[in-house]
Amino acid sequence: GQQPNWAGTEACKQVATSFISSVLEEDKITSLINRGYTIVEIPPELTRAYSDFHEAYELFSQLPLSWKIPFAQLQFSPGAHSPNQFHGFSVVGGLKEQFMLRLNGRGTHLKSPPSYPRRGDGDNSSSTADVGLAGLELYERLDILCRDLARKTLERLGQDPSRVDEILDPIVKQDKENYKRAEDDECWSDGVIDGYISSSILDSFHYFNKFEDEDNNHDDDNKTGDVHFVNNHAAHTDSGLLTVVIVTDEPGLEIFDQQENDWIAVESLIHQLLYRSGENNKKEEKIHRRYATLFWADSVCYLGEPAVTILEPTLHRVGKCDGERYSVVFKQRTAPYATTCRYQEDYPLAFLQLSAMKAAGIEKNVTNVTNNVGYLSRLFGGFSSTVQLWSLFLPLLLFL
């Protein structure tokens, strides 16, 4: 739960808003290759899907903690402030709340919060926001965006773009009619293979933006009380292939620009550019939600040559903000059965994915799967692929 002093405290480069204008005008693939990130204007339907989900998640975040805890599923080491590694709600005390959502098919028993009345509707109970259903739509639209840019990048580098889909989850045709909810709060998409749970995640954060007095001694290892944090999220690279962050209402995302060799406060600059003058100075219109930042993550190593030697994972962080920050992050992770297992939950996840595809008559080449996953797939191939079942075997899976 703690961050060391040096975790991303370097100041951002001081640049004019013309800098962010030039990045917006750059060829998107060129930016991804040279800078490690790009900023794109997204389609109106994606902005609408994001706003629907953002409002739903914000309403959920404002509920009492006792209402949110039931939506935590398989949180590892809660006493050590471990993030939720599978699906659902979790808390990092003093810093943030998080809701991790995966795209899943029928029969996987992943629960997501139900509908809550939209603010300002009064007695109009027919107008509601739904975290689960809105999240499934947003997930699929962001997945399409990431795949398109990743394929185009490989084409630019002279590689076969099909490599992108080989290492990701099976392609899902986006259709809002596919999203379903059961009475027990289980949500799923009929466009996904029954029993399949995605590798990629839609990660939603509520940063409290509360920090200790700057004069406190952060080097005191024996300090009592809540853990301290240097900023909202220290400098790091993400797991996965591409990450996308739609520009938030409270700017905070900072990117290490590989071409400038310096930190850039991208979201703050976008806000400055859009609201500096004229009719666009009304922040309540939220025109910043028309833009998104995409950047490479650690799984570029699975793309093959020459991409693996040209593309680098992009350092980024979330600085201190002026107020509470709600942020939605799509992390397009590679499928563990197609690459390797990185997290402890990836072993049972790969087993579930392979079992679901086998039941659907889909054969996958799993020659790159780790020996453990291949062994577990053979050992437990006859069992039903449900979350309840594999959670019972979790200690054995991790031991193997």
Side-chain angles (χ1 to χ4, degrees):
Q2 292 194 344
Q3 299 170 355
N5 285 1
W6 49 265
T9 57
E10 308 92 335
C12 287
K13 184 177 182 179
Q14 296 299 306
V15 296
T17 54
S18 57
F19 173 86
I20 215 69
S21 295
S22 65
V23 175
L24 281 165
E25 293 169 0
E26 274 183 0
D27 174 76
K28 306 310 175 190
I29 307 306
T30 299
S31 293
L32 279 170
I33 293 173
N34 295 338
R35 298 185 184 276
Y37 72 98
T38 188
I39 303 171
V40 302
E41 185 171 1
I42 59 179
E45 276 302 296
L46 179 49
T47 299
R48 189 270 311 158
Y50 170 76
S51 293
D52 286 349
F53 178 76
H54 182 284
E55 181 179 24
Y57 176 65
E58 190 170 337
L59 288 171
F60 172 74
S61 297
Q62 293 168 1
L63 296 173
L65 185 63
S66 60
W67 287 38
K68 293 179 281 191
I69 289 297
F71 293 100
Q73 291 182 245
L74 295 179
Q75 181 176 351
F76 298 107
S77 303
H81 301 285
S82 168
N84 191 309
Q85 292 288 345
F86 181 59
H87 173 90
F89 175 76
S90 60
V91 182
V92 177
L95 179 67
K96 63 185 178 182
E97 292 180 344
Q98 176 180 359
F99 192 91
M100 180 184 290
L101 181 146
R102 294 183 189 259
L103 185 68
N104 57 294
R106 186 187 298 267
T108 46
H109 305 283
L110 299 190
K111 297 184 178 183
S112 293
S115 302
Y116 302 103
R118 293 186 189 273
R119 288 165 293 183
D121 275 1
D123 295 330
N124 183 11
S125 59
S126 63
S127 181
T128 58
D130 189 300
V131 177
L133 301 185
L136 293 177
E137 180 185 4
L138 180 59
Y139 176 112
E140 290 189 353
R141 291 187 180 277
L142 292 173
D143 180 64
I144 291 170
L145 174 66
C146 287
R147 286 180 193 256
D148 180 60
L149 286 173
R151 292 187 195 114
K152 289 178 178 177
T153 300
L154 289 193
E155 285 182 328
R156 181 73 60 84
L157 296 175
Q159 287 185 244
D160 183 355
S162 66
R163 177 59 181 164
V164 171
D165 297 316
E166 289 176 356
I167 61 177
L168 298 177
D169 292 318
I171 299 174
V172 177
K173 185 177 181 181
Q174 197 276 322
D175 187 344
K176 196 172 183 178
E177 297 301 316
N178 286 334
Y179 313 135
K180 304 292 172 59
R181 172 181 286 281
E183 292 183 359
D184 64 352
D185 289 328
E186 177 186 355
C187 291
W188 71 90
S189 171
D190 283 337
V192 179
I193 301 168
D194 287 352
Y196 192 94
I197 299 175
S198 71
S199 312
S200 300
I201 57 175
L202 187 69
D203 237 353
S204 305
F205 300 96
H206 173 205
Y207 292 98
F208 307 137
N209 199 52
K210 295 179 180 178
F211 301 91
E212 293 180 349
D213 191 324
E214 295 292 339
D215 294 331
N216 283 357
N217 180 10
H218 291 313
D219 292 326
D220 183 3
D221 292 335
N222 297 316
K223 187 176 67 64
T224 60
D226 291 337
V227 294
H228 74 267
F229 299 98
V230 175
N231 48 26
N232 276 312
H233 204 309
H236 65 287
T237 58
D238 280 347
S239 60
L241 182 60
L242 270 173
T243 294
V244 54
V245 184
I246 295 178
V247 176
T248 58
D249 299 350
E250 186 61 53
L253 178 65
E254 299 169 354
I255 297 280
F256 190 83
D257 189 309
Q258 296 169 6
Q259 182 170 291
E260 298 292 321
N261 197 36
D262 214 333
W263 287 97
I264 303 295
V266 290
E267 286 192 336
S268 179
L269 287 167
I270 291 172
H271 274 251
Q272 292 175 40
L273 176 67
L274 294 176
Y275 302 117
R276 60 187 175 184
S277 61
E279 61 184 34
N280 287 346
N281 63 359
K282 298 179 180 179
K283 271 200 170 186
E284 60 268 21
E285 295 177 359
K286 296 182 171 58
I287 61 173
H288 53 271
R289 293 184 180 181
R290 301 176 190 172
Y291 299 89
T293 306
L294 295 96
F295 47 88
W296 296 115
D298 296 343
S299 291
V300 292
C301 64
Y302 298 119
L303 288 176
E305 295 288 354
V308 70
T309 56
I310 295 175
L311 306 177
E312 296 182 14
T314 305
L315 276 168
H316 58 286
R317 65 193 184 193
V318 180
K320 295 180 181 179
C321 304
D322 291 335
E324 292 180 82
R325 170 185 166 91
Y326 291 90
S327 177
V328 181
V329 181
F330 178 70
K331 298 176 183 177
Q332 190 177 55
R333 290 179 175 173
T334 55
Y337 66 79
T339 53
T340 56
C341 294
R342 172 168 176 157
Y343 296 107
Q344 59 195 100
E345 80 274 16
D346 284 345
Y347 292 94
L349 180 62
F351 161 65
L352 283 177
Q353 293 171 340
L354 290 170
S355 299
M357 289 187 291
K358 182 178 180 180
I362 301 173
E363 295 295 331
K364 298 294 290 186
N365 180 359
V366 294
T367 54
N368 290 329
V369 183
T370 61
N371 290 333
N372 281 351
V373 174
Y375 172 70
L376 293 171
S377 298
R378 294 190 298 272
L379 182 61
F380 298 121
F383 287 109
S384 171
S385 57
T386 63
V387 172
Q388 286 90 341
L389 176 64
W390 74 257
S391 64
L392 293 175
F393 287 99
L394 186 58
L396 174 60
L397 297 174
L398 298 180
F399 174 77
L400 291 173

